[in-house]
Every structure is written in structure tokens, then in C-alpha cells.
Amino acid sequence: MNRREMIKNALLSAGAMTASGAVAQEAMPPHPRKHSFPSPPTKPDGEKMPNILWICTDQQRFDTIQGLSNPLIKTPNLQKFMAESVTFTNTFVQCPICSPSRASFLTGRYPHVTGLRANGQKIRETERLVPRILADFEYNCGLAGKLHLSPCFGGRNESRIDDGYSLFWWSHDVSDQWPGQNQWYNWLDKNGVKIPPPPKHSEVWGMPISPQYTQTAWCSDMAIQFMRQQRLFNPWLMSVNIFQPHHPFWPTEEYLSHYDPAKMPAPAYKQGELDNKPKFQRDDNKGAYGGVAVSFAKTSDEEHRKITAAYYAMIEQVDTEVGRMLKTLEETGQADDTIVIFMSDHGEMLGDHGMYLKGPYFYDCLTRVPLIIRWPKKFKAGLKVDALVEMIDLAPTLIHAAGLPIPSGMQGQSLMPLLTGETTEHRDSTFTEYFDANALYNPPPICASVRTKKWKLSLYNNLNTGELYDLEKDPGEYNNLWNTATLKGEQAQMMQLLASRMMGTVDPIPERQMTW
């Protein structure tokens, strides 16, 4: 009997299989309870369950890794990690804004399905995160850094659902809005380290402290402590949610010194390109987030390049900490038994198309992110996968890797066949949504986008307009072909695909139990 048959028989005996063969999310079978020491729990086929080191940066675009697509940035540890891993080159988030994206990849469900469509909303209490599912099967789950699944602005403490994290070292960002709650600041106080208030959005300067005291290093320290303590008590999952390279553009002085602004590229922007694009982009050209943050239009060429230097410097420090965490896995003998993920929640405009930060648009620099996954002896080392991938595909992949049945509520598709080299095909399109997700615009942006390898179409509901790009002829997405007379057929086909993808994201639960 193979592993798939064993799982199926276990589910049938537990009465958890529906008439269609799908496993109900709320009716997963109980896993045999086993002590974590000295005999850790195993998969239904007896194989050891993998540990998971899940590293997620904040606001890191896909083209920021040395050896992949950027010769100017210094990321030697990630370059080495790629040689040992599977690198996905076409991974897209389901929302270009923090909270909706995080809720989506932690559940394997689209943002509007989780109830967390916008920053400032709270994820539904009934949503089941990957760490919650794994914790039900004896995983010990920890988090260091950001979570952002509920409102936490202006000093409001982030409330939690039953998320599965038994160790929770919370540090939302580099500000001190939460006295006594931001665990990184508490650690700084214990070490007698004081830092000045962060700079404004448009300012760039080096943080005047040693890199070892940054939030990036602190997140890594917490992960290293967790991994050393857990080495005899597998399996475990550790979420390392580093705030960098999210703005403010505030690396340490040491890392900033590694980059000469004069050698940085200018933003990818063509004068006049926004004239026939949705008004939100022209608004954000004057100032991000609807006019309140860094203004591309008011920023000099020299300042543009300084911002890029600071952004690269923050990513280089992330790379340093990735190296430290990977070294810990080797030193503790856990590397072969641990899945390591490196990814980000969304990208950063970085001045491209005349805008900074993020907003209601779907350029690749904002929606396309790094995704690198390693599991020695299981996944193909050094493999690059160009297939279209959605970030919601990660959750079912991790459940699959743990040998557990994928809940029917998950809408992603497991990446396991790609990771093992069984196939090179996955999706024919990716879907991304933005439902009034962050700053206040007029009218409220309600928009969605669908992308194939050749075309990208974005529809803006309240503006009765959109964008259409031929990605083969115009990979930089400068020339909006919306309503081009000679492309009416192609635009109609992409509109039909967008409608199909939107209908296909309807929540699959609760499952139908009878015919009427």
C-alpha cells in the first residue's frame, strides 16, 4: 500500500471523506498522539516530519538577489542558498499590500475569502493558518517579527486568532508605537541601546547603531535560539518575519556604506507613461499612499539613487542573517531534516513607473517576489522553475510535505511536483486583487489583475478603465494597450480569463453535504 492509499484509508475510517473525495477542513482526522521526545511524531507512512524555517521579508521585490537578476546587490548567502534549492522565478502575491497578502499565504486562500481584504481589517476567527494546522500534529511553532493579521496602527496591539504559535516574539516594525509590546524594543532596553526615531518616508540615512542591534538581527537571534532549543524536539516551524527592506529607507550606517549611490540604477520610468494609466498612479506619482508619503515627482535623481542604495543595503543585511540561520541548522545537525523557505509578502515600486512604496496597481516590481525553497535530499538542488506560481500555493505545499491531507478550504495548488522535478508546468495564469486595501483614495480602488506569460490585464471597477500589457514586447510594462483597436480580441480574452479567475476564487467551504 502506498502513502496516498494509507492516507485515504485513514480518512475514510475517520468518516472525514465527502462524497466527492475532498477532505473537509474542519474534519481532519486525529493524528496518533506521540511524545515529542525521544520519539518525534511521523507521517502516516512512518517517515519523519520535516522542520520548517520560514523566512519572510517585507516589501522585497523579485529582482534583488545576486546571481539571479541583480549584479549590483551583495547577497552571497542567498546566492549559495539558491545553488542548494529550488528557485521560482515567476511567483506572484495575491495582494500587493501587507495584511491581505500575509493572510493569503498563511492560509492558502485568497484575501477576499479570508475576510482580510485590507490593512486595518482582522482575519476571520475561523481561518486556519499553516502553523495552526501543523500544531495539531505535534509541531511546535514559533514566530519572531511581524504577523499583521489584524489592526495594529497608532499603538493598538495586534490581536490574535488561534494561530498555532506557542512562542510569539512580536515586533511589527522599527517604530516604538507599542510601549512594552514590541519585543525588539524591550530587548534593546535590556541591552541599554537607544535609537532615534525613524526618518520620514523620503529621507535616507544610516541607523547609528551596530547591525547586531537591528530588528533584522534580533529576529535572526530569536530564530537561532528557537532552533537550538528544538533540535531534540522535532518537528517544528519557525516564522522569521523580518521588517526590512520595508520603508523607511533606514539601514545601518555600516551596510549603507557598502553602496555608492552614484553607481545605483535610476528608476525605470518613462516621462509621460502615466498619461493613459489609472488616476491612482498619477496621484501616487505626486506622493505615495494617495499623496501623503514619498513623492517621486519631488525627488531628485540623486535622491532616487540614494533610496535604491539604502534599499539594497537593508537586503544585504537580511542576507547576512539568512547565512547565520542556515549555519545554525548545519551546526545543530538539522539541515537535512528542515525545509527552508525564503520569500517576501510583496514588492516595492522603488521609483519605477514614477512611484514609491505600494498601492492599487499590479506591476511586476510590486506583485512578483522571491521564492526559494530547500529540502536536502528531497527537492532538486540548483533547479530554477519558470512556471507561474501564486503565493497561496505555498500553504498546501507545506501541508503536503508534512504528509498530511490538504484541507479542502485551501485554494492553492501544491508545488511538490515542481520541487521534485516531476513537472515544469503549474498554472496558466496568476490572479491578484486589491479591494481598497490601504491608503485613502478617491474613489476607493476596487481592482483586480490576471497575468499570463504573455499578457497582463488589470481592471479598475470604479474608474471604468484598465491596463493591458504585452509582456513579450513590453516586459517593463510602460505601454498601456487598453482599448487598442487592433487588440480588441486579446483584451476580450483576458477579460474573460479575469472573470473566470474571479469566479474560481469563491470560498470552497463549507462543503456541500447533500444534493439539496
Side-chain angles (χ1 to χ4, degrees):
M1 182 182 297
N2 62 32
R3 171 177 154 197
R4 185 180 297 274
E5 292 171 336
M6 291 178 66
I7 294 175
K8 182 176 179 181
N9 289 341
L11 294 174
L12 286 169
S13 65
M17 188 69 74
T18 66
S20 64
V23 185
Q25 187 179 36
E26 52 273 281
M28 290 178 66
H31 190 278
R33 305 291 287 186
K34 294 185 178 181
H35 295 295
S36 296
F37 181 81
S39 299
T42 59
K43 301 178 186 179
D45 61 2
E47 186 179 5
K48 186 177 181 180
M49 288 175 145
N51 306 317
I52 300 170
L53 175 59
W54 193 346
I55 305 168
C56 179
T57 62
D58 198 328
Q59 210 157 298
Q60 182 177 353
R61 42 193 282 162
F62 72 98
D63 56 354
T64 53
I65 297 175
Q66 180 184 8
L68 179 61
S69 54
N70 193 324
L72 297 177
I73 199 166
K74 300 177 179 68
T75 56
N77 292 300
L78 285 172
Q79 188 173 15
K80 179 177 181 292
F81 180 58
M82 283 173 50
E84 304 164 347
S85 309
V86 179
T87 300
F88 294 89
T89 62
N90 282 302
T91 303
F92 295 85
V93 297
Q94 277 43 79
C95 183
I97 303 300
C98 297
S99 288
S101 177
R102 289 168 182 269
S104 185
F105 65 68
L106 280 164
T107 60
R109 289 155 60 78
Y110 289 97
H112 66 272
V113 176
T114 69
L116 212 174
R117 301 177 302 279
N119 285 3
Q121 293 180 318
K122 181 180 179 180
I123 192 171
R124 290 193 179 100
E125 296 280 351
T126 53
E127 292 299 310
R128 289 178 60 78
L129 277 57
V130 168
R132 174 65 271 161
I133 295 170
L134 294 180
D136 288 342
F137 292 87
E138 300 292 350
Y139 272 77
N140 190 25
C141 301
L143 175 143
K146 185 173 181 176
L147 185 59
H148 208 186
L149 299 184
S150 68
C152 55
F153 182 71
R156 177 172 178 164
N157 293 336
E158 180 173 352
S159 61
R160 296 169 61 187
I161 64 171
D162 184 11
D163 51 42
Y165 291 112
S166 58
L167 294 172
F168 194 74
W169 293 298
W170 184 78
S171 174
H172 180 78
D173 63 23
V174 295
S175 68
D176 193 17
Q177 298 181 50
W178 308 273
Q181 300 298 319
N182 187 329
Q183 297 300 318
W184 168 55
Y185 266 90
N186 292 345
W187 178 79
L188 289 176
D189 289 341
K190 290 180 181 178
N191 285 276
V193 178
K194 301 295 182 183
I195 62 173
K200 296 179 180 179
H201 289 298
S202 58
E203 294 179 343
V204 173
W205 49 285
M207 186 185 296
I209 62 173
S210 169
Q212 66 180 327
Y213 295 118
T214 59
Q215 197 250 21
T216 301
W218 174 83
C219 286
S220 178
D221 286 346
M222 296 300 99
I224 289 171
Q225 174 182 311
F226 178 88
M227 290 187 288
R228 290 190 182 281
Q229 291 173 341
Q230 288 296 127
R231 66 187 184 278
L232 298 177
F233 298 93
N234 299 331
W236 51 260
L237 177 148
M238 182 66 202
S239 293
V240 190
N241 293 346
I242 296 168
F243 185 67
Q244 287 184 328
H246 192 290
H247 63 277
F249 302 107
W250 199 30
T252 64
E253 293 174 346
E254 177 179 328
Y255 279 95
L256 187 58
S257 70
H258 297 174
Y259 295 87
D260 180 358
K263 296 180 180 179
M264 295 296 102
Y269 171 63
K270 293 184 178 181
Q271 191 69 36
E273 70 164 281
L274 300 182
D275 292 348
N276 73 334
K277 296 184 180 182
K279 72 177 292 291
F280 305 125
Q281 299 182 34
R282 294 190 293 277
D283 292 342
D284 280 7
N285 172 259
K286 300 172 185 176
Y289 294 171
V292 301
V294 56
S295 169
F296 178 92
K298 297 179 181 179
T299 304
S300 69
D301 179 70
E302 181 183 7
E303 290 170 322
H304 289 316
R305 296 173 192 270
K306 284 182 178 179
I307 290 173
T308 299
Y311 187 72
Y312 286 8
M314 290 190 287
I315 293 171
E316 184 183 348
Q317 187 181 2
V318 168
D319 178 83
T320 297
E321 298 307 328
V322 169
R324 290 181 62 216
M325 288 183 275
L326 295 178
K327 183 178 179 181
T328 298
L329 287 177
E330 295 288 347
E331 291 175 347
T332 58
Q334 299 181 88
D336 285 349
D337 300 322
T338 302
I339 297 173
V340 181
I341 305 151
F342 181 84
M343 54 164 282
S344 191
D345 61 347
H346 55 77
E348 155 70 52
M349 293 303 296
L350 204 62
D352 288 359
H353 306 285
M355 293 171 285
Y356 279 99
L357 314 186
K358 51 193 181 280
Y361 22 85
F362 303 99
Y363 293 108
D364 273 17
C365 52
L366 188 55
T367 60
R368 188 175 171 191
V369 294
L371 179 61
I372 310 172
I373 306 177
R374 186 185 79 178
W375 190 6
K377 302 179 182 178
K378 297 287 184 178
F379 300 159
K380 291 186 72 69
L383 179 66
K384 288 184 181 178
V385 175
D386 296 327
L388 294 174
V389 167
E390 293 187 346
M391 193 55 81
I392 61 167
D393 298 335
L394 188 54
T397 302
L398 295 178
I399 301 303
H400 188 173
L404 303 175
I406 298 172
S408 61
M410 285 190 177
Q411 297 171 293
Q413 302 173 13
S414 174
L415 300 172
M416 196 65 72
L418 292 171
L419 289 161
T420 57
E422 296 174 35
T423 184
T424 59
E425 301 297 323
H426 189 62
R427 293 181 177 273
D428 60 8
S429 67
T430 61
F431 174 75
T432 307
E433 62 186 60
Y434 184 109
F435 295 152
D436 196 17
N438 68 337
L440 299 179
Y441 295 86
N442 186 24
I446 306 296
C447 44
S449 180
V450 65
R451 187 197 196 281
T452 65
K453 286 199 171 180
K454 177 172 176 55
W455 296 101
K456 181 186 289 186
L457 180 138
S458 304
L459 179 65
Y460 294 77
N461 183 58
N462 288 346
L463 300 181
N464 193 30
T465 188
E467 295 170 274
L468 178 67
Y469 298 103
D470 184 336
L471 300 173
E472 291 181 355
K473 296 179 179 179
D474 179 27
E477 303 173 81
Y478 297 111
N479 186 22
N480 183 13
L481 301 173
W482 185 260
N483 283 341
T484 299
T486 57
L487 295 174
K488 286 184 177 179
E490 289 82 352
Q491 183 169 322
Q493 289 178 358
M494 290 299 291
M495 286 286 285
Q496 184 176 0
L497 178 59
L498 177 62
S500 175
R501 289 302 312 268
M502 292 185 74
M503 287 189 285
T505 65
V506 171
D507 195 344
I509 55 175
E511 290 188 294
R512 189 173 185 174
Q513 298 180 358
M514 300 185 70
T515 53
W516 64 81

